[in-house]
Amino acid sequence: MREEKKKGKKIKEKLRARYTQRVSSTSLFFWVLGAISGVCLLMVLLFGVSQWFVLKNTVQQQMSQDLSVRGQTIKERLLPGLPPQFADEEEHARHLSATYGVNVTVLDGEGRVLYSSALEADSFVSDVAKIKAELGEGTEVDRDFSVYQQGNDGVYVCRLEDAQTGANAYLYVTKDVSYMGIVLGEMSIRILFSALFVFVLAFVVAAIVSGFITKPIDEMKDKAKLLARGDFSVNFHGKDYGREMAELAESLNFARDELSKTDGMQKELIANVSHDFKTPLTMIKAYASMIVEISGEDKKKREKHATVIIEEADRLTSLVGDLLDLSKLQSGIAALSKEEFDLSAYTRQAVEKFGYLQETHGYQFIVDIDDGAIVSADKGKIGQVLHNLIGNAVNYTGDDKKVYISLKRGETSAYFSVRDTGKGISKEALNDIWDRYYRSKETHKRPIQGTGLGLSIVRRVLEMHNLKFGVESDLGKGSVFYVDFPCVSEG
Ligand code: ADP
């Protein structure tokens, strides 16, 4: 026993754990907020980084264009040889350096300084390999000039030919471009601040949007909880929050109405069923007491009283039977067991069962049944359908006490209908009569005891068979209930 209890407890705990795992503890507000701010952050980052690269490229291009124009001009001014106004090449170089805001150096083929506007001789020797590589010397891409960056300097190099000796020489022009780093740094800070500002703005907007989205959902959730606890006065509002929310609110209001209707009908059914149980039980008790106290010795009276007891017991049995049938049908326990049978003969049998009412209550059954309608269906359940529909017609027909039953054969189907001449069914009630708990409020003297479950059994059985069925009613004139049975082709 103890072990079983322990096992049960373990299973319960497992189930609880599984359920709690499935429910996310993060509020929808934070999901939406996180998602929107995340996307904004990503966009701001992408934008910032791409802007930074564009800026860097532009500044570099600018520098390289500017330096190549200056280098080219200096080269053109150097090539014709030393102008007479300068004492030597070095003075000429210094003049060019001052004019174009650059350092001008000319190197021989080995990288030694021939003359320079700067003063550090020999310092370029080691650079000659780099210069040659930049110009692509000895390779297929032999360039006239090249511009590149080295440390804080932008460098322009090109080949010069010594006019007298024909030997190789290089023009080496440099310009301080450390301003580029400063500009880029400055711009990076600006981009970073703008990104931060945009992100904060996006976060605030995201918080407002998330609030806007989750507020009606929160409200609906709270109201749905109330509804689940049985408060049918709740009203779902959603029309101020867009079409989807309006539709959701509408559906929830519809569900509330349906639930409240079902709840009301359920209560009514319990009241009805209790009443229906109570009446025969009271009768049984009363007649049993009468047998004990009065009619015990009198055989005739005793039999009469015992018959009442038997009839009341039958009523109870049929009530319990209906309840059981419906719950089986609705829970899906009752499966169909189809067979081929003659519906014409079966309908006649069903009508005959009501034959006693002709003599006891003066009912007339006007029957028009075509022969040979063979169908494939669950015979027992179809019998129940015929019984309930004919029984209702008997209960609700008019004072003429006429009930019309017909089965008409078409080419492929047989059309069953049962018509009464009663008060008919109002348009509003037409849909509800098929519901499990619906029962007319009218206290109506019926020869056959009803439970309010008959038509829901009919509906469930016919739906299981996929049959077309329905009701047409004319207020004051009566109703026709019909079912269309597909026939099995003979031969
Ligand atoms: P019950 O007849 O026991 O009340 P049913 O499920 O058979 O339960 O019928 C549900 C309701 O449908 C009835 O209470 C009645 O209001 C209405 N109804 C059924 N058949 C007829 C009919 N032939 N004429 C008028 N009303 C009908």
Side-chain angles (χ1 to χ4, degrees):
M1 267 300 262
R2 222 179 245 177
E3 285 225 337
E4 268 177 23
K5 261 191 181 174
K6 260 190 187 174
K7 256 189 191 173
K9 214 176 168 189
K10 264 189 186 172
I11 292 171
K12 264 189 196 168
E13 269 166 16
K14 262 190 188 173
L15 282 174
R16 195 175 301 148
R18 200 182 295 166
Y19 179 71
T20 28
Q21 261 174 20
R22 258 188 261 140
V23 179
S24 165
S25 55
T26 314
S27 150
L28 180 65
F29 175 84
F30 292 110
W31 276 111
V32 178
L33 181 65
I36 300 180
S37 348
V39 170
C40 287
L41 182 66
L42 200 73
M43 276 165 61
V44 164
L45 276 178
L46 279 177
F47 180 74
V49 171
S50 63
Q51 279 303 94
W52 190 84
F53 274 108
V54 167
L55 191 77
K56 191 175 168 218
N57 270 350
T58 314
V59 171
Q60 268 173 346
Q61 261 176 15
Q62 198 78 36
M63 178 277 284
S64 126
Q65 253 174 21
D66 174 57
L67 201 57
S68 53
V69 168
R70 286 172 205 241
Q72 209 63 24
T73 319
I74 292 170
K75 179 185 174 188
E76 276 158 21
R77 293 192 62 175
L78 280 178
L79 277 177
L82 185 67
Q85 67 267 36
F86 298 107
D88 58 18
E89 272 100 346
E90 210 157 278
E91 196 188 334
H92 188 198
R94 272 200 296 276
H95 170 74
L96 291 173
S97 158
T99 314
Y100 295 105
V102 290
N103 276 332
V104 179
T105 306
V106 174
L107 310 163
D108 69 7
E110 305 302 314
R112 282 180 296 260
V113 178
L114 295 176
Y115 56 88
S116 171
S117 67
L119 298 171
E120 299 129 34
D122 292 341
S123 66
F124 296 111
V125 178
S126 58
D127 274 341
V128 77
K130 168 123 175 108
I131 293 169
K132 284 180 178 174
E134 282 292 335
L135 289 173
E137 254 181 42
T139 68
E140 280 176 17
V141 266
D142 197 355
R143 296 183 200 93
D144 284 343
F145 71 94
S146 173
V147 178
Y148 57 93
Q149 198 176 342
Q150 195 168 7
N152 278 338
D153 286 337
V155 181
Y156 167 92
V157 281
C158 74
R159 243 185 317 272
L160 286 178
E161 226 169 71
D162 195 315
Q164 287 120 38
T165 61
N168 247 357
Y170 300 104
L171 170 62
Y172 189 89
V173 177
T174 61
K175 186 173 190 306
D176 183 6
V177 288
S178 55
Y179 71 91
M180 252 171 55
I182 297 167
V183 170
L184 279 176
E186 183 85 2
M187 288 314 286
S188 309
I189 290 170
R190 281 188 196 180
I191 288 174
L192 201 75
F193 272 109
S194 321
L196 216 72
F197 175 71
V198 172
F199 177 67
V200 171
L201 198 71
F203 188 83
V204 173
V205 172
I208 295 170
V209 171
S210 321
F212 184 77
I213 294 174
T214 49
K215 188 177 163 229
I217 297 178
D218 263 345
E219 272 176 25
M220 284 196 199
K221 180 198 73 190
D222 292 341
K223 287 184 179 171
K225 275 186 186 164
L226 288 177
L227 181 59
R229 283 189 213 120
D231 179 355
F232 299 114
S233 65
V234 288
N235 204 359
F236 294 92
H237 300 285
K239 64 176 187 305
D240 302 333
Y241 301 100
R243 183 170 54 83
E244 288 81 1
M245 284 296 160
E247 279 175 11
L248 179 64
E250 208 176 292
S251 310
L252 286 169
N253 281 331
F254 178 72
R256 175 208 58 205
D257 291 346
E258 288 300 301
L259 276 174
S260 120
K261 224 187 323 177
T262 311
D263 188 65
M265 285 177 176
Q266 211 162 0
K267 283 181 182 144
E268 214 176 297
L269 173 86
I270 293 172
N272 283 344
V273 171
S274 327
H275 177 259
D276 288 347
F277 270 126
K278 218 171 151 193
T279 319
L281 282 174
T282 319
M283 298 270 277
I284 289 171
K285 195 181 166 208
Y287 278 85
S289 309
M290 270 157 79
I291 291 175
V292 172
E293 287 160 20
I294 310 166
S295 58
E297 300 301 318
D298 182 340
K299 189 173 178 251
K300 237 183 167 184
K301 268 190 182 171
R302 196 177 62 226
E303 271 174 12
K304 205 174 146 197
H305 293 164
T307 312
V308 175
I309 293 178
I310 292 168
E311 277 171 5
E312 294 304 317
D314 284 347
R315 268 174 66 178
L316 273 180
T317 313
S318 70
L319 180 62
V320 173
D322 268 7
L323 279 170
L324 277 178
D325 281 347
L326 188 65
S327 67
K328 268 196 237 159
L329 284 167
Q330 289 192 324
S331 62
I333 298 171
L336 290 184
S337 119
K338 283 192 181 179
E339 61 183 296
E340 281 184 20
F341 62 91
D342 184 346
L343 184 65
S344 311
Y346 199 50
T347 310
R348 280 197 195 96
Q349 273 177 31
V351 180
E352 272 162 25
K353 283 189 189 151
F354 290 89
Y356 71 97
L357 289 173
Q358 273 176 326
E359 283 131 47
T360 53
H361 291 76
Y363 279 88
Q364 284 183 57
F365 294 94
I366 299 104
V367 179
D368 178 11
I369 297 177
D370 287 350
D371 281 328
I374 309 294
V375 298
S376 165
D378 187 316
K379 198 171 173 185
K381 292 197 175 70
I382 294 298
Q384 218 171 352
V385 169
L386 300 181
H387 182 87
N388 287 353
L389 291 181
I390 300 171
N392 275 351
V394 168
N395 276 338
Y396 298 103
T397 198
D399 292 337
D400 62 359
K401 296 194 170 174
K402 283 185 179 163
V403 173
Y404 297 80
I405 297 136
S406 86
L407 183 72
K408 291 274 121 201
R409 272 210 69 179
E411 269 188 22
T412 54
S413 65
Y415 186 82
F416 168 84
S417 70
V418 51
R419 178 162 76 84
D420 62 67
T421 59
K423 284 188 181 169
I425 304 162
S426 68
K427 274 218 168 91
E428 303 81 64
L430 268 181
N431 280 327
D432 294 338
I433 54 170
W434 304 97
D435 281 337
R436 185 156 37 147
Y437 307 117
Y438 183 83
R439 200 176 184 199
S440 102
K441 297 209 167 45
E442 220 176 301
T443 43
H444 174 105
K445 278 216 164 164
R446 317 172 203 192
I448 303 159
Q449 197 61 36
T451 54
L453 301 173
L455 284 184
S456 14
I457 294 178
V458 169
R459 171 188 172 179
R460 188 71 196 119
V461 169
L462 296 177
E463 279 175 353
M464 281 169 87
H465 279 86
N466 262 333
L467 293 175
K468 250 210 250 156
F469 65 95
V471 53
E472 277 159 19
S473 193
D474 239 353
L475 270 183
K477 288 188 181 161
S479 322
V480 185
F481 284 79
Y482 62 86
V483 186
D484 205 7
F485 290 92
C487 285
V488 179
S489 54
E490 286 154 52

